[in-house]
Amino acid sequence: MQQQINSDLPAKLINGGIAGMVGVTCVFPIDLAKTRLQNQRSGQQLYKSMMDCLIKTVKSEGYFGMYRGAAVNLTLVTPEKAIKLAANDFFRHQLSKDGGRLTVLKEILAGCCAGMCQVIITTPMEMLKIQLQDAGRLAAQQRVMPSVVTALKMGGTSAVLSRSYNTSPGQQVTRVSATQITRELLRTKGVTGLYRGLGATLMRDIPFSVVYFPLFAHLNQLGQHSSDNPSVPFYWSFISGCLAGSIAAVTVSPCDVVKTRLQSLKKGANEETYNGVVDCVRKIMRKEGPGAFLKGAGCRALVIAPLFGIAQVVYFVGVGEVLLGYTPYSICSA
């Protein structure tokens, strides 16, 4: 039995990694729109909706402009999703070792632990991705408001980011890479620079996992053929992942807005800075109203729903087991 558990872990890590890469590739443009919508302030709105954002992005930055930050996301989403999905399975197994039924409370606890584990990768990944995704919005704002020269909000001058963003009107914006941002953050802030917004990330990811994993488990269970045959069709896992993901995403959307604002190092014209989660919540509430906490909620639901639907299908089909030669492959019996 112990050998089986040990052999399962590498396969689950592979499944989680592949699931994350496939899912992110499919939904990344929507995620970019979500970041830009969340970061724009009232009175300075460049984008009216998700579609408006994507259309303007393609017109001004080309098709691949929708994939700004995708490289760092694809690189880090593999360990991030692997940790998230495998950790949830691990904790569920540990909590049901006594042979008893896994209660809802134990499912919530397993999801909570999984959410805490993933932020090791999630925080720096989101930190870098947000800078790259939001660069186009800042450049567009400079073109719309040519008299405004934005300032870097990092507590110090960053040569790399200043060269990249502080351009004169009409001048081509120099593209900055994740490597440049990482080096500059490590030079000026140390490792803690990459973990800016850690508290807000925990505040988002723990509740998300607490909602998502138990909800998915119960929805997925409804698709079982019978008590004698507990297998679930792959399409039902996809539907369950989409539904549970979208509900969890909307639930924690206010936390995601706060996290995005805190992790945006570069601000546009007249955009305020925040000193922690409480200060961010207070300023958003005072200046933009409670509706601001739901900015990008629809986009986030559209990102998370297919992302976790795809993730769960890949995970339950067992691609990792196939690659490692543990089990025969049959998508129909997934």
Side-chain angles (χ1 to χ4, degrees):
M1 181 64 179
Q2 185 61 39
Q3 183 180 0
Q4 180 65 31
I5 293 171
N6 292 337
S7 66
D8 276 351
L9 184 58
K12 290 183 184 300
L13 292 173
I14 292 173
N15 286 335
I18 294 174
M21 293 181 69
V22 173
V24 165
T25 302
C26 294
V27 302
F28 194 83
I30 306 174
D31 186 60
L32 178 135
K34 181 222 47 147
T35 296
R36 293 187 177 184
L37 288 171
Q38 286 181 337
N39 264 331
Q40 68 179 4
R41 276 42 164 192
S42 300
Q44 300 178 1
Q45 295 181 345
L46 296 171
Y47 314 112
K48 298 176 183 177
S49 63
M50 179 189 73
M51 285 306 300
D52 183 54
C53 179
L54 293 177
I55 291 170
K56 287 180 178 176
T57 297
V58 172
K59 284 183 177 178
S60 62
E61 303 170 54
Y63 174 79
F64 290 105
M66 294 191 298
Y67 283 88
R68 275 197 177 189
V72 65
N73 213 29
L74 286 170
T75 301
L76 295 179
V77 77
T78 302
E80 191 251 4
K81 282 292 178 287
I83 291 172
K84 186 185 189 80
L85 296 173
N88 180 67
D89 269 6
F90 173 78
F91 288 116
R92 287 175 71 93
H93 172 75
Q94 294 299 315
L95 291 170
S96 60
K97 261 187 172 181
D98 55 4
R101 181 174 172 272
L102 197 63
T103 63
V104 174
L105 183 61
K106 288 183 178 180
E107 289 180 330
I108 290 174
L109 181 59
C112 178
C113 293
M116 291 180 67
C117 290
Q118 77 171 88
V119 295
I120 298 171
I121 303 295
T122 304
T123 306
M125 178 183 75
E126 295 264 316
M127 181 76 177
L128 298 174
K129 181 192 73 172
I130 285 171
Q131 316 315 314
L132 299 171
Q133 285 182 329
D134 204 35
R137 181 187 69 88
L138 295 170
Q141 188 186 73
Q142 287 184 336
R143 288 194 295 270
V144 172
M145 304 172 64
S147 61
V148 176
V149 179
T150 56
L152 186 66
K153 308 293 185 182
M154 289 178 59
T157 301
S158 168
V160 170
L161 294 179
S162 294
R163 285 199 305 271
S164 302
Y165 295 123
N166 290 340
T167 58
S168 59
Q171 186 179 354
Q172 182 65 37
V173 179
T174 304
R175 292 180 181 271
V176 67
S177 69
T179 303
Q180 288 175 302
I181 297 173
T182 302
R183 287 175 179 170
E184 188 63 25
L185 283 170
L186 289 174
R187 184 181 68 81
T188 59
K189 301 291 184 179
V191 176
T192 56
L194 290 173
Y195 282 86
R196 178 172 175 167
L198 175 61
T201 305
L202 283 167
M203 190 173 70
R204 181 199 67 174
D205 287 349
I206 291 178
F208 179 91
S209 295
V210 164
V211 173
Y212 173 77
F213 284 114
L215 182 57
F216 169 78
H218 287 273
L219 289 173
N220 199 50
Q221 195 174 28
L222 296 176
Q224 290 182 355
H225 295 295
S226 66
S227 57
D228 298 328
N229 181 13
S231 64
V232 177
F234 76 94
Y235 66 83
W236 189 265
S237 291
F238 175 77
I239 294 171
S240 299
C242 287
L243 186 56
S246 59
I247 292 173
V250 173
T251 301
V252 302
S253 185
C255 301
D256 190 57
V257 171
V258 173
K259 182 199 71 68
T260 299
R261 295 284 183 92
L262 288 174
Q263 289 187 321
S264 296
L265 301 176
K266 185 71 182 65
K267 306 295 183 182
N270 304 319
E271 291 180 358
E272 64 286 323
T273 55
Y274 307 107
N275 298 315
V277 173
V278 176
D279 181 58
C280 183
V281 171
R282 187 184 297 117
K283 286 180 177 177
I284 292 175
M285 181 67 76
R286 186 176 70 248
K287 296 184 179 182
E288 302 174 62
F293 290 104
L294 291 177
K295 283 184 177 180
C299 290
R300 180 163 168 76
L302 288 174
V303 168
I304 297 298
L307 176 59
F308 275 85
I310 293 168
Q312 293 294 175
V313 169
V314 173
Y315 199 65
F316 279 97
V317 163
V319 177
E321 285 83 354
V322 176
L323 293 175
L324 296 177
Y326 293 153
T327 59
Y329 174 73
S330 173
I331 192 168
C332 295
S333 64

mmCIF file with all atom_site columns, all heavy atoms in Angstrom, residues 245-268:
data_model
loop_
_atom_site.group_PDB
_atom_site.id
_atom_site.type_symbol
_atom_site.label_atom_id
_atom_site.label_alt_id
_atom_site.label_comp_id
_atom_site.label_asym_id
_atom_site.label_entity_id
_atom_site.label_seq_id
_atom_site.pdbx_PDB_ins_code
_atom_site.Cartn_x
_atom_site.Cartn_y
_atom_site.Cartn_z
_atom_site.occupancy
_atom_site.B_iso_or_equiv
_atom_site.pdbx_formal_charge
_atom_site.auth_seq_id
_atom_site.auth_comp_id
_atom_site.auth_asym_id
_atom_site.auth_atom_id
_atom_site.pdbx_PDB_model_num
ATOM 1   N N   . GLY A 1 245 ? -15.215 25.811 -10.007 1.00 0.00 ? 245 GLY A N   1
ATOM 2   C CA  . GLY A 1 245 ? -14.208 26.854 -10.203 1.00 0.00 ? 245 GLY A CA  1
ATOM 3   C C   . GLY A 1 245 ? -14.814 28.234 -10.339 1.00 0.00 ? 245 GLY A C   1
ATOM 4   O O   . GLY A 1 245 ? -14.327 29.202 -9.740  1.00 0.00 ? 245 GLY A O   1
ATOM 5   N N   . SER A 1 246 ? -15.903 28.337 -11.115 1.00 0.00 ? 246 SER A N   1
ATOM 6   C CA  . SER A 1 246 ? -16.520 29.649 -11.319 1.00 0.00 ? 246 SER A CA  1
ATOM 7   C C   . SER A 1 246 ? -17.146 30.171 -10.027 1.00 0.00 ? 246 SER A C   1
ATOM 8   O O   . SER A 1 246 ? -17.039 31.368 -9.719  1.00 0.00 ? 246 SER A O   1
ATOM 9   C CB  . SER A 1 246 ? -17.578 29.570 -12.426 1.00 0.00 ? 246 SER A CB  1
ATOM 10  O OG  . SER A 1 246 ? -18.593 28.636 -12.105 1.00 0.00 ? 246 SER A OG  1
ATOM 11  N N   . ILE A 1 247 ? -17.787 29.293 -9.254  1.00 0.00 ? 247 ILE A N   1
ATOM 12  C CA  . ILE A 1 247 ? -18.387 29.711 -7.981  1.00 0.00 ? 247 ILE A CA  1
ATOM 13  C C   . ILE A 1 247 ? -17.314 30.175 -7.001  1.00 0.00 ? 247 ILE A C   1
ATOM 14  O O   . ILE A 1 247 ? -17.433 31.224 -6.359  1.00 0.00 ? 247 ILE A O   1
ATOM 15  C CB  . ILE A 1 247 ? -19.215 28.559 -7.368  1.00 0.00 ? 247 ILE A CB  1
ATOM 16  C CG1 . ILE A 1 247 ? -20.453 28.282 -8.225  1.00 0.00 ? 247 ILE A CG1 1
ATOM 17  C CG2 . ILE A 1 247 ? -19.632 28.894 -5.932  1.00 0.00 ? 247 ILE A CG2 1
ATOM 18  C CD1 . ILE A 1 247 ? -21.242 27.054 -7.810  1.00 0.00 ? 247 ILE A CD1 1
ATOM 19  N N   . ALA A 1 248 ? -16.229 29.405 -6.901  1.00 0.00 ? 248 ALA A N   1
ATOM 20  C CA  . ALA A 1 248 ? -15.134 29.766 -5.997  1.00 0.00 ? 248 ALA A CA  1
ATOM 21  C C   . ALA A 1 248 ? -14.463 31.061 -6.446  1.00 0.00 ? 248 ALA A C   1
ATOM 22  O O   . ALA A 1 248 ? -14.086 31.905 -5.626  1.00 0.00 ? 248 ALA A O   1
ATOM 23  C CB  . ALA A 1 248 ? -14.113 28.631 -5.930  1.00 0.00 ? 248 ALA A CB  1
ATOM 24  N N   . ALA A 1 249 ? -14.318 31.240 -7.770  1.00 0.00 ? 249 ALA A N   1
ATOM 25  C CA  . ALA A 1 249 ? -13.655 32.428 -8.307  1.00 0.00 ? 249 ALA A CA  1
ATOM 26  C C   . ALA A 1 249 ? -14.424 33.699 -7.976  1.00 0.00 ? 249 ALA A C   1
ATOM 27  O O   . ALA A 1 249 ? -13.844 34.704 -7.544  1.00 0.00 ? 249 ALA A O   1
ATOM 28  C CB  . ALA A 1 249 ? -13.496 32.297 -9.820  1.00 0.00 ? 249 ALA A CB  1
ATOM 29  N N   . VAL A 1 250 ? -15.741 33.673 -8.173  1.00 0.00 ? 250 VAL A N   1
ATOM 30  C CA  . VAL A 1 250 ? -16.568 34.848 -7.876  1.00 0.00 ? 250 VAL A CA  1
ATOM 31  C C   . VAL A 1 250 ? -16.583 35.120 -6.371  1.00 0.00 ? 250 VAL A C   1
ATOM 32  O O   . VAL A 1 250 ? -16.555 36.282 -5.934  1.00 0.00 ? 250 VAL A O   1
ATOM 33  C CB  . VAL A 1 250 ? -18.005 34.657 -8.411  1.00 0.00 ? 250 VAL A CB  1
ATOM 34  C CG1 . VAL A 1 250 ? -18.905 35.792 -7.947  1.00 0.00 ? 250 VAL A CG1 1
ATOM 35  C CG2 . VAL A 1 250 ? -17.995 34.575 -9.933  1.00 0.00 ? 250 VAL A CG2 1
ATOM 36  N N   . THR A 1 251 ? -16.583 34.063 -5.577  1.00 0.00 ? 251 THR A N   1
ATOM 37  C CA  . THR A 1 251 ? -16.609 34.207 -4.119  1.00 0.00 ? 251 THR A CA  1
ATOM 38  C C   . THR A 1 251 ? -15.406 34.995 -3.604  1.00 0.00 ? 251 THR A C   1
ATOM 39  O O   . THR A 1 251 ? -15.544 35.840 -2.713  1.00 0.00 ? 251 THR A O   1
ATOM 40  C CB  . THR A 1 251 ? -16.645 32.827 -3.436  1.00 0.00 ? 251 THR A CB  1
ATOM 41  O OG1 . THR A 1 251 ? -17.817 32.110 -3.870  1.00 0.00 ? 251 THR A OG1 1
ATOM 42  C CG2 . THR A 1 251 ? -16.669 32.957 -1.922  1.00 0.00 ? 251 THR A CG2 1
ATOM 43  N N   . VAL A 1 252 ? -14.227 34.717 -4.162  1.00 0.00 ? 252 VAL A N   1
ATOM 44  C CA  . VAL A 1 252 ? -13.006 35.359 -3.663  1.00 0.00 ? 252 VAL A CA  1
ATOM 45  C C   . VAL A 1 252 ? -12.549 36.516 -4.553  1.00 0.00 ? 252 VAL A C   1
ATOM 46  O O   . VAL A 1 252 ? -11.434 37.017 -4.389  1.00 0.00 ? 252 VAL A O   1
ATOM 47  C CB  . VAL A 1 252 ? -11.856 34.327 -3.517  1.00 0.00 ? 252 VAL A CB  1
ATOM 48  C CG1 . VAL A 1 252 ? -12.260 33.206 -2.581  1.00 0.00 ? 252 VAL A CG1 1
ATOM 49  C CG2 . VAL A 1 252 ? -11.440 33.761 -4.875  1.00 0.00 ? 252 VAL A CG2 1
ATOM 50  N N   . SER A 1 253 ? -13.400 36.954 -5.481  1.00 0.00 ? 253 SER A N   1
ATOM 51  C CA  . SER A 1 253 ? -13.024 38.035 -6.399  1.00 0.00 ? 253 SER A CA  1
ATOM 52  C C   . SER A 1 253 ? -12.579 39.314 -5.684  1.00 0.00 ? 253 SER A C   1
ATOM 53  O O   . SER A 1 253 ? -11.597 39.943 -6.103  1.00 0.00 ? 253 SER A O   1
ATOM 54  C CB  . SER A 1 253 ? -14.186 38.341 -7.348  1.00 0.00 ? 253 SER A CB  1
ATOM 55  O OG  . SER A 1 253 ? -13.804 39.296 -8.314  1.00 0.00 ? 253 SER A OG  1
ATOM 56  N N   . PRO A 1 254 ? -13.253 39.757 -4.599  1.00 0.00 ? 254 PRO A N   1
ATOM 57  C CA  . PRO A 1 254 ? -12.772 40.956 -3.893  1.00 0.00 ? 254 PRO A CA  1
ATOM 58  C C   . PRO A 1 254 ? -11.331 40.812 -3.402  1.00 0.00 ? 254 PRO A C   1
ATOM 59  O O   . PRO A 1 254 ? -10.546 41.769 -3.467  1.00 0.00 ? 254 PRO A O   1
ATOM 60  C CB  . PRO A 1 254 ? -13.747 41.074 -2.715  1.00 0.00 ? 254 PRO A CB  1
ATOM 61  C CG  . PRO A 1 254 ? -15.002 40.419 -3.208  1.00 0.00 ? 254 PRO A CG  1
ATOM 62  C CD  . PRO A 1 254 ? -14.535 39.271 -4.042  1.00 0.00 ? 254 PRO A CD  1
ATOM 63  N N   . CYS A 1 255 ? -10.978 39.624 -2.927  1.00 0.00 ? 255 CYS A N   1
ATOM 64  C CA  . CYS A 1 255 ? -9.604  39.383 -2.469  1.00 0.00 ? 255 CYS A CA  1
ATOM 65  C C   . CYS A 1 255 ? -8.626  39.438 -3.638  1.00 0.00 ? 255 CYS A C   1
ATOM 66  O O   . CYS A 1 255 ? -7.486  39.901 -3.497  1.00 0.00 ? 255 CYS A O   1
ATOM 67  C CB  . CYS A 1 255 ? -9.504  38.017 -1.784  1.00 0.00 ? 255 CYS A CB  1
ATOM 68  S SG  . CYS A 1 255 ? -10.585 37.826 -0.359  1.00 0.00 ? 255 CYS A SG  1
ATOM 69  N N   . ASP A 1 256 ? -9.074  38.999 -4.817  1.00 0.00 ? 256 ASP A N   1
ATOM 70  C CA  . ASP A 1 256 ? -8.215  39.018 -5.995  1.00 0.00 ? 256 ASP A CA  1
ATOM 71  C C   . ASP A 1 256 ? -7.959  40.440 -6.454  1.00 0.00 ? 256 ASP A C   1
ATOM 72  O O   . ASP A 1 256 ? -6.851  40.769 -6.902  1.00 0.00 ? 256 ASP A O   1
ATOM 73  C CB  . ASP A 1 256 ? -8.863  38.200 -7.120  1.00 0.00 ? 256 ASP A CB  1
ATOM 74  C CG  . ASP A 1 256 ? -7.919  37.977 -8.292  1.00 0.00 ? 256 ASP A CG  1
ATOM 75  O OD1 . ASP A 1 256 ? -6.824  37.421 -8.057  1.00 0.00 ? 256 ASP A OD1 1
ATOM 76  O OD2 . ASP A 1 256 ? -8.266  38.362 -9.428  1.00 0.00 ? 256 ASP A OD2 1
ATOM 77  N N   . VAL A 1 257 ? -8.965  41.322 -6.350  1.00 0.00 ? 257 VAL A N   1
ATOM 78  C CA  . VAL A 1 257 ? -8.783  42.731 -6.703  1.00 0.00 ? 257 VAL A CA  1
ATOM 79  C C   . VAL A 1 257 ? -7.725  43.361 -5.793  1.00 0.00 ? 257 VAL A C   1
ATOM 80  O O   . VAL A 1 257 ? -6.820  44.057 -6.259  1.00 0.00 ? 257 VAL A O   1
ATOM 81  C CB  . VAL A 1 257 ? -10.115 43.510 -6.587  1.00 0.00 ? 257 VAL A CB  1
ATOM 82  C CG1 . VAL A 1 257 ? -9.881  45.014 -6.747  1.00 0.00 ? 257 VAL A CG1 1
ATOM 83  C CG2 . VAL A 1 257 ? -11.103 43.018 -7.637  1.00 0.00 ? 257 VAL A CG2 1
ATOM 84  N N   . VAL A 1 258 ? -7.831  43.103 -4.495  1.00 0.00 ? 258 VAL A N   1
ATOM 85  C CA  . VAL A 1 258 ? -6.869  43.648 -3.526  1.00 0.00 ? 258 VAL A CA  1
ATOM 86  C C   . VAL A 1 258 ? -5.475  43.124 -3.828  1.00 0.00 ? 258 VAL A C   1
ATOM 87  O O   . VAL A 1 258 ? -4.493  43.885 -3.836  1.00 0.00 ? 258 VAL A O   1
ATOM 88  C CB  . VAL A 1 258 ? -7.288  43.284 -2.084  1.00 0.00 ? 258 VAL A CB  1
ATOM 89  C CG1 . VAL A 1 258 ? -6.206  43.693 -1.086  1.00 0.00 ? 258 VAL A CG1 1
ATOM 90  C CG2 . VAL A 1 258 ? -8.603  43.952 -1.732  1.00 0.00 ? 258 VAL A CG2 1
ATOM 91  N N   . LYS A 1 259 ? -5.363  41.838 -4.100  1.00 0.00 ? 259 LYS A N   1
ATOM 92  C CA  . LYS A 1 259 ? -4.060  41.239 -4.402  1.00 0.00 ? 259 LYS A CA  1
ATOM 93  C C   . LYS A 1 259 ? -3.441  41.858 -5.653  1.00 0.00 ? 259 LYS A C   1
ATOM 94  O O   . LYS A 1 259 ? -2.251  42.199 -5.677  1.00 0.00 ? 259 LYS A O   1
ATOM 95  C CB  . LYS A 1 259 ? -4.228  39.730 -4.608  1.00 0.00 ? 259 LYS A CB  1
ATOM 96  C CG  . LYS A 1 259 ? -2.908  38.999 -4.882  1.00 0.00 ? 259 LYS A CG  1
ATOM 97  C CD  . LYS A 1 259 ? -3.140  37.649 -5.512  1.00 0.00 ? 259 LYS A CD  1
ATOM 98  C CE  . LYS A 1 259 ? -3.612  37.776 -6.923  1.00 0.00 ? 259 LYS A CE  1
ATOM 99  N NZ  . LYS A 1 259 ? -2.557  38.327 -7.840  1.00 0.00 ? 259 LYS A NZ  1
ATOM 100 N N   . THR A 1 260 ? -4.254  42.038 -6.698  1.00 0.00 ? 260 THR A N   1
ATOM 101 C CA  . THR A 1 260 ? -3.749  42.614 -7.950  1.00 0.00 ? 260 THR A CA  1
ATOM 102 C C   . THR A 1 260 ? -3.257  44.039 -7.733  1.00 0.00 ? 260 THR A C   1
ATOM 103 O O   . THR A 1 260 ? -2.183  44.422 -8.228  1.00 0.00 ? 260 THR A O   1
ATOM 104 C CB  . THR A 1 260 ? -4.859  42.611 -9.027  1.00 0.00 ? 260 THR A CB  1
ATOM 105 O OG1 . THR A 1 260 ? -5.262  41.261 -9.276  1.00 0.00 ? 260 THR A OG1 1
ATOM 106 C CG2 . THR A 1 260 ? -4.367  43.223 -10.321 1.00 0.00 ? 260 THR A CG2 1
ATOM 107 N N   . ARG A 1 261 ? -4.018  44.836 -6.983  1.00 0.00 ? 261 ARG A N   1
ATOM 108 C CA  . ARG A 1 261 ? -3.612  46.221 -6.723  1.00 0.00 ? 261 ARG A CA  1
ATOM 109 C C   . ARG A 1 261 ? -2.304  46.276 -5.929  1.00 0.00 ? 261 ARG A C   1
ATOM 110 O O   . ARG A 1 261 ? -1.431  47.103 -6.203  1.00 0.00 ? 261 ARG A O   1
ATOM 111 C CB  . ARG A 1 261 ? -4.713  46.947 -5.954  1.00 0.00 ? 261 ARG A CB  1
ATOM 112 C CG  . ARG A 1 261 ? -6.033  47.116 -6.720  1.00 0.00 ? 261 ARG A CG  1
ATOM 113 C CD  . ARG A 1 261 ? -5.955  48.212 -7.764  1.00 0.00 ? 261 ARG A CD  1
ATOM 114 N NE  . ARG A 1 261 ? -7.233  48.405 -8.430  1.00 0.00 ? 261 ARG A NE  1
ATOM 115 C CZ  . ARG A 1 261 ? -8.160  49.278 -8.050  1.00 0.00 ? 261 ARG A CZ  1
ATOM 116 N NH1 . ARG A 1 261 ? -7.963  50.036 -6.991  1.00 0.00 ? 261 ARG A NH1 1
ATOM 117 N NH2 . ARG A 1 261 ? -9.285  49.399 -8.746  1.00 0.00 ? 261 ARG A NH2 1
ATOM 118 N N   . LEU A 1 262 ? -2.183  45.411 -4.928  1.00 0.00 ? 262 LEU A N   1
ATOM 119 C CA  . LEU A 1 262 ? -0.978  45.411 -4.094  1.00 0.00 ? 262 LEU A CA  1
ATOM 120 C C   . LEU A 1 262 ? 0.253   44.964 -4.870  1.00 0.00 ? 262 LEU A C   1
ATOM 121 O O   . LEU A 1 262 ? 1.367   45.431 -4.607  1.00 0.00 ? 262 LEU A O   1
ATOM 122 C CB  . LEU A 1 262 ? -1.180  44.506 -2.871  1.00 0.00 ? 262 LEU A CB  1
ATOM 123 C CG  . LEU A 1 262 ? -2.118  45.020 -1.778  1.00 0.00 ? 262 LEU A CG  1
ATOM 124 C CD1 . LEU A 1 262 ? -2.325  43.948 -0.720  1.00 0.00 ? 262 LEU A CD1 1
ATOM 125 C CD2 . LEU A 1 262 ? -1.561  46.284 -1.134  1.00 0.00 ? 262 LEU A CD2 1
ATOM 126 N N   . GLN A 1 263 ? 0.063   44.052 -5.807  1.00 0.00 ? 263 GLN A N   1
ATOM 127 C CA  . GLN A 1 263 ? 1.206   43.505 -6.531  1.00 0.00 ? 263 GLN A CA  1
ATOM 128 C C   . GLN A 1 263 ? 1.584   44.309 -7.768  1.00 0.00 ? 263 GLN A C   1
ATOM 129 O O   . GLN A 1 263 ? 2.577   44.006 -8.405  1.00 0.00 ? 263 GLN A O   1
ATOM 130 C CB  . GLN A 1 263 ? 0.923   42.051 -6.923  1.00 0.00 ? 263 GLN A CB  1
ATOM 131 C CG  . GLN A 1 263 ? 0.923   41.099 -5.740  1.00 0.00 ? 263 GLN A CG  1
ATOM 132 C CD  . GLN A 1 263 ? 0.812   39.641 -6.155  1.00 0.00 ? 263 GLN A CD  1
ATOM 133 O OE1 . GLN A 1 263 ? 0.081   39.308 -7.077  1.00 0.00 ? 263 GLN A OE1 1
ATOM 134 N NE2 . GLN A 1 263 ? 1.523   38.779 -5.470  1.00 0.00 ? 263 GLN A NE2 1
ATOM 135 N N   . SER A 1 264 ? 0.800   45.331 -8.104  1.00 0.00 ? 264 SER A N   1
ATOM 136 C CA  . SER A 1 264 ? 1.134   46.186 -9.250  1.00 0.00 ? 264 SER A CA  1
ATOM 137 C C   . SER A 1 264 ? 2.176   47.214 -8.809  1.00 0.00 ? 264 SER A C   1
ATOM 138 O O   . SER A 1 264 ? 1.857   48.177 -8.110  1.00 0.00 ? 264 SER A O   1
ATOM 139 C CB  . SER A 1 264 ? -0.117  46.893 -9.777  1.00 0.00 ? 264 SER A CB  1
ATOM 140 O OG  . SER A 1 264 ? -1.033  45.956 -10.265 1.00 0.00 ? 264 SER A OG  1
ATOM 141 N N   . LEU A 1 265 ? 3.412   46.983 -9.202  1.00 0.00 ? 265 LEU A N   1
ATOM 142 C CA  . LEU A 1 265 ? 4.503   47.860 -8.779  1.00 0.00 ? 265 LEU A CA  1
ATOM 143 C C   . LEU A 1 265 ? 4.448   49.204 -9.480  1.00 0.00 ? 265 LEU A C   1
ATOM 144 O O   . LEU A 1 265 ? 4.801   50.227 -8.924  1.00 0.00 ? 265 LEU A O   1
ATOM 145 C CB  . LEU A 1 265 ? 5.850   47.195 -9.070  1.00 0.00 ? 265 LEU A CB  1
ATOM 146 C CG  . LEU A 1 265 ? 6.093   45.837 -8.408  1.00 0.00 ? 265 LEU A CG  1
ATOM 147 C CD1 . LEU A 1 265 ? 7.418   45.262 -8.852  1.00 0.00 ? 265 LEU A CD1 1
ATOM 148 C CD2 . LEU A 1 265 ? 6.043   45.974 -6.898  1.00 0.00 ? 265 LEU A CD2 1
ATOM 149 N N   . LYS A 1 266 ? 4.025   49.196 -10.733 1.00 0.00 ? 266 LYS A N   1
ATOM 150 C CA  . LYS A 1 266 ? 4.009   50.405 -11.545 1.00 0.00 ? 266 LYS A CA  1
ATOM 151 C C   . LYS A 1 266 ? 2.595   50.950 -11.587 1.00 0.00 ? 266 LYS A C   1
ATOM 152 O O   . LYS A 1 266 ? 1.657   50.238 -11.891 1.00 0.00 ? 266 LYS A O   1
ATOM 153 C CB  . LYS A 1 266 ? 4.486   50.069 -12.959 1.00 0.00 ? 266 LYS A CB  1
ATOM 154 C CG  . LYS A 1 266 ? 4.621   51.276 -13.857 1.00 0.00 ? 266 LYS A CG  1
ATOM 155 C CD  . LYS A 1 266 ? 5.802   52.126 -13.422 1.00 0.00 ? 266 LYS A CD  1
ATOM 156 C CE  . LYS A 1 266 ? 5.897   53.358 -14.310 1.00 0.00 ? 266 LYS A CE  1
ATOM 157 N NZ  . LYS A 1 266 ? 4.757   54.240 -14.152 1.00 0.00 ? 266 LYS A NZ  1
ATOM 158 N N   . LYS A 1 267 ? 2.450   52.220 -11.254 1.00 0.00 ? 267 LYS A N   1
ATOM 159 C CA  . LYS A 1 267 ? 1.135   52.852 -11.246 1.00 0.00 ? 267 LYS A CA  1
ATOM 160 C C   . LYS A 1 267 ? 0.995   53.820 -12.408 1.00 0.00 ? 267 LYS A C   1
ATOM 161 O O   . LYS A 1 267 ? 1.974   54.409 -12.878 1.00 0.00 ? 267 LYS A O   1
ATOM 162 C CB  . LYS A 1 267 ? 0.908   53.609 -9.932  1.00 0.00 ? 267 LYS A CB  1
ATOM 163 C CG  . LYS A 1 267 ? 1.108   52.767 -8.677  1.00 0.00 ? 267 LYS A CG  1
ATOM 164 C CD  . LYS A 1 267 ? 0.093   51.644 -8.568  1.00 0.00 ? 267 LYS A CD  1
ATOM 165 C CE  . LYS A 1 267 ? 0.290   50.863 -7.265  1.00 0.00 ? 267 LYS A CE  1
ATOM 166 N NZ  . LYS A 1 267 ? -0.645  49.740 -7.156  1.00 0.00 ? 267 LYS A NZ  1
ATOM 167 N N   . GLY A 1 268 ? -0.242  54.013 -12.840 1.00 0.00 ? 268 GLY A N   1
ATOM 168 C CA  . GLY A 1 268 ? -0.527  54.981 -13.883 1.00 0.00 ? 268 GLY A CA  1
ATOM 169 C C   . GLY A 1 268 ? -0.735  56.363 -13.291 1.00 0.00 ? 268 GLY A C   1
ATOM 170 O O   . GLY A 1 268 ? -0.475  56.616 -12.111 1.00 0.00 ? 268 GLY A O   1
#
